[in-house]
Amino acid sequence: MKPLKGLTGSGSTEWRTSKLPDFSLTDLEKKRLSKQRKLDAKRDPVERNKEGQFATPPSLASSIAKFALQLVSVDEPIMLEPSCGSGAFIYAALSAAEQTGIRYRDIVGVEKDQEFAEVAKNLWSEWGTTIIEGDFLDFATTSSLKADLLIANPPYVRHHHLPKEIKARYSAIVSRVTGRSPSGLSGLYVYFILASQLCLAPGAISAWLIPSEFLDTNYGKSIRKYLAENVSIERIHRFDPDGLVFDDALVTSLILVFRNKQPGKNHKVTFSEGDDINNPEGASLVFPQTSLHGESRWSGYFTQAPRSDLPETEPTLSDLFTIRRGIATGNNSYFIRSRDAVAADGIDDSDLIPVLPPPRRLNLPTISADPDGWPILSEQLVLMSSSEPEATIAAKNPSLAKYFEGADDKTRNSYLVRNRAPWYKVESREPAPILLTYMGRANGKGTPFRFILNYSRAIATNGYLMLYPRGVLENAIQEGSLTLEDVHKALQQFSQESLIAGGRVYGGGLRKIEPKELANVPAGSIFRQLGIRYNTSGDRLF
């Protein structure tokens, strides 16, 4: 490999070496990994999580560099690695170039952490690489660098770890690129991707190892909109949701690769999955980029066309059910107690509401009820809540009043509680005949979500979604042509793949589906199974 030309502090270029170093890239990589492990070991895991410092596995860095480099169209590219750490992608890019004979014009790494920046400088300076210690967002606004290849694993810093003044400054930078500020709930990687436009040459290739959350979340709309309208997306490759790319980060990751070029009307985007972007598992799916919109969710593209590509007349679960999240108490350990403990305290539970155990402690498909509507369960729970004034409670149920009087300051001052009037009035729900456990893992069974038939008057916490029949389904049940058992059976046979595609995924294969997402899941199969017809115009259902 030929010596490389790098950037000096002033931004000019010069040949860094007149000959190659006496040691090999492999030797340097071994040294880098040793120093990486030592730096990781000396840092508290909580601190590393807060700073979003998760080192890129070497094999993954090599795989990404190999894929990205083959898309570069210039002969002597300039490479940029934001947040380079000890230089995992620098090594991977140098190694890939050595194998293919490609010569870099410049390689630049930017690293905010002083210790990692020093390690990278000591390791890679002899290979024509310039390491700049500083914040990449500041670098993007001041540097004249225009990279032909950018490869990055940006810090995975959650929005609540970003100070307000930092968010404001980063938002101003991003506004220069997109004309709009990202959501305040955006993680740091969103700012990195949007600001990187300032450092890219026309036609440059960008490859990002990032969390998959932006595919579905509301805060991801800004980046989805930007990507769909302003660049040509080459590949979105998601790793196995049931595994973890990083041993120390509970997050599902993907590789986003795009070209800094306006997408043509016929440009297509490839969605793939597996451990290696160069060798995807199963069939990759290809869609016109024009079908991608910032307002729609993108995770469905890995398995099927998203909702916007389905016929407009296809009914959804919202045509059958009103869907609400279970209650949020503000402090379950205080507001939810066992019925036996309540009785032992002399509290009259006749006006209190039964509440179901959390999903992990409820494995029954059907909840039966006693004559008073209490669920027939080994564990009966009570919601400690009332809308009446304290004086009224004291007269009617003195033991309950005493319980409320004994609440500590931590309970009374939690966010939800302090904004209620009275503070002990938990939000209300009608008992739902159908419940869905809205979050879970498949664990090899393929059923992260469970539909439960509820005959009791117990309500549920926000570990469940509550489904109330509506419209034609409600009418059919009231008329006797359908029973709740019929509905529950149909839901149990409903495609888990449809629910998974409609929801979102987190690290370790944790699946989740929110009320609006569940409402939009296509439900034609349930209509057909229950014998409910729907037409293709006007009022769809009759």
Side-chain angles (χ1 to χ4, degrees):
M1 181 177 174
K2 296 181 180 180
L4 306 174
K5 189 168 64 173
L7 293 176
T8 67
S10 63
S12 62
T13 57
E14 62 180 9
W15 290 108
R16 304 290 294 179
T17 57
S18 57
K19 63 184 183 69
L20 287 174
D22 295 331
F23 35 83
S24 69
L25 276 173
T26 303
D27 293 333
L28 278 180
E29 175 64 355
K30 291 178 180 178
K31 191 174 181 180
R32 184 190 72 80
L33 290 173
S34 175
K35 290 183 178 294
Q36 178 77 52
R37 285 190 291 267
K38 290 178 180 178
L39 283 178
D40 286 344
K42 66 183 286 189
R43 300 182 180 212
D44 182 89
V46 175
E47 176 191 357
R48 289 181 57 216
N49 185 277
K50 183 177 179 180
E51 296 296 326
Q53 294 178 326
F54 302 104
T56 311
S59 60
L60 180 55
S62 296
S63 174
I64 295 173
K66 177 182 177 182
F67 182 85
L69 196 57
Q70 67 185 357
L71 297 176
V72 175
S73 57
V74 299
D75 292 334
E76 294 187 357
I78 297 173
M79 177 193 159
L80 171 65
E81 183 183 359
S83 189
C84 66
S86 61
F89 282 122
I90 291 175
Y91 165 73
L94 285 169
S95 180
E98 195 172 49
Q99 296 171 17
T100 59
I102 291 177
R103 165 179 170 163
Y104 294 105
R105 185 150 49 100
D106 291 301
I107 295 180
V108 179
V110 182
E111 176 54 50
K112 186 177 181 179
D113 187 291
Q114 182 181 7
E115 289 185 298
F116 277 108
E118 286 300 319
V119 167
K121 287 177 184 178
N122 293 334
L123 286 171
W124 307 112
S125 61
E126 291 301 312
W127 285 81
T129 297
T130 297
I131 304 298
I132 298 172
E133 182 183 332
D135 187 322
F136 174 69
L137 274 294
D138 293 332
F139 173 83
T141 61
T142 58
S143 174
S144 60
L145 178 73
K146 296 297 180 183
D148 305 295
L149 171 64
L150 182 152
I151 312 180
N153 170 17
Y156 182 51
V157 180
R158 305 301 294 268
H159 72 92
H160 49 270
H161 292 316
L162 293 173
K164 290 183 179 179
E165 60 275 13
I166 296 294
K167 283 187 182 180
R169 185 161 62 86
Y170 287 173
S171 292
I173 293 172
V174 167
S175 294
R176 290 177 49 185
V177 181
T178 66
R180 56 187 293 184
S181 297
S183 164
L185 301 180
S186 299
L188 183 57
Y189 73 95
V190 172
Y191 297 95
F192 264 64
I193 294 175
L194 296 176
S196 71
Q197 170 70 37
L198 299 170
C199 301
L200 296 177
I205 292 295
S206 279
W208 297 85
L209 177 60
I210 56 176
S212 63
E213 296 172 356
F214 86 90
L215 296 173
D216 302 314
T217 57
N218 285 332
Y219 81 72
K221 288 180 181 179
S222 62
I223 189 169
R224 293 197 298 270
K225 180 177 175 62
Y226 171 78
L227 294 171
E229 297 176 358
N230 296 279
V231 300
S232 298
I233 305 171
E234 300 291 341
R235 179 75 66 90
I236 299 180
H237 181 86
R238 186 172 67 181
F239 296 97
D240 182 3
D242 295 319
L244 294 173
V245 172
F246 303 97
D247 294 333
D248 48 0
L250 289 176
V251 59
T252 298
S253 300
L254 59 74
I255 303 169
L256 167 68
V257 183
F258 61 83
R259 189 180 299 276
N260 186 30
K261 177 184 176 183
Q262 282 285 330
K265 64 179 181 179
N266 296 319
H267 182 73
K268 298 184 184 299
V269 182
T270 300
F271 288 78
S272 60
E273 295 185 281
D275 293 334
D276 186 353
I277 189 173
N278 297 286
N279 295 288
E281 297 174 5
S284 298
L285 299 180
V286 181
F287 298 96
Q289 184 160 327
T290 52
S291 70
L292 275 65
H293 306 281
E295 298 300 315
S296 63
R297 300 168 63 255
W298 287 7
S299 61
Y301 285 96
F302 290 101
T303 54
Q304 61 184 19
R307 176 71 190 161
S308 59
D309 284 3
L310 294 171
E312 291 183 2
T313 54
E314 175 80 0
T316 66
L317 285 175
S318 66
D319 293 312
L320 294 172
F321 300 98
T322 297
I323 301 169
R324 298 191 69 187
R325 194 189 304 278
I327 63 168
T329 68
N331 184 345
N332 283 356
S333 63
Y334 178 82
F335 289 102
I336 298 177
R337 304 181 69 203
S338 74
R339 193 179 185 190
D340 290 340
V342 169
D345 286 346
I347 299 173
D348 180 1
D349 68 13
S350 59
D351 289 333
L352 298 179
I353 301 171
V355 62
L356 295 173
R360 67 181 182 277
R361 303 207 302 263
L362 183 61
N363 296 316
L364 297 175
T366 301
I367 302 168
S368 300
D370 68 15
D372 294 323
W374 284 83
I376 301 176
L377 299 171
S378 59
E379 179 183 23
Q380 288 189 329
L381 301 177
V382 179
L383 179 66
M384 310 300 289
S385 172
S386 177
S387 60
E388 296 180 319
E390 293 182 62
T392 303
I393 298 173
K396 291 175 53 179
N397 199 343
S399 295
L400 178 59
K402 182 179 179 181
Y403 182 75
F404 288 150
E405 289 172 5
D408 58 25
D409 290 340
K410 183 178 180 181
T411 297
R412 290 173 180 265
N413 293 322
S414 67
Y415 178 77
L416 285 178
V417 175
R418 71 172 182 263
N419 287 290
R420 296 196 298 236
W423 65 267
Y424 46 78
K425 180 187 177 183
V426 179
E427 59 182 335
S428 61
R429 293 285 189 277
E430 289 296 319
I434 303 290
L435 302 165
L436 176 67
T437 59
Y438 87 115
M439 184 165 57
R441 290 183 169 84
N443 293 326
K445 300 178 182 179
T447 54
F449 307 111
R450 293 183 289 123
F451 287 101
I452 300 170
L453 179 58
N454 177 32
Y455 285 112
S456 77
R457 63 183 180 92
I459 62 171
T461 61
N462 54 7
Y464 299 89
L465 299 185
M466 306 175 76
L467 282 67
Y468 306 86
R470 65 177 295 269
V472 291
L473 179 59
E474 183 181 21
N475 293 337
I477 293 172
Q478 290 177 348
E479 293 167 358
S481 59
L482 286 175
T483 66
L484 284 173
E485 290 91 337
D486 296 328
V487 177
H488 184 229
K489 181 179 178 180
L491 289 171
Q492 285 184 306
Q493 296 176 359
F494 187 56
S495 167
Q496 284 280 321
E497 288 73 19
S498 295
L499 296 174
I500 290 170
R504 57 189 71 178
V505 64
Y506 295 88
L510 179 66
R511 314 282 179 168
K512 182 178 179 183
I513 189 164
E514 299 289 353
K516 289 183 179 179
E517 295 167 346
L518 181 64
N520 288 326
V521 170
S525 63
I526 295 180
F527 275 79
R528 291 187 289 273
Q529 184 171 346
L530 294 176
I532 302 174
R533 294 186 299 155
Y534 59 95
N535 60 24
T536 59
S537 63
D539 293 333
R540 294 182 298 173
L541 314 176
F542 60 98

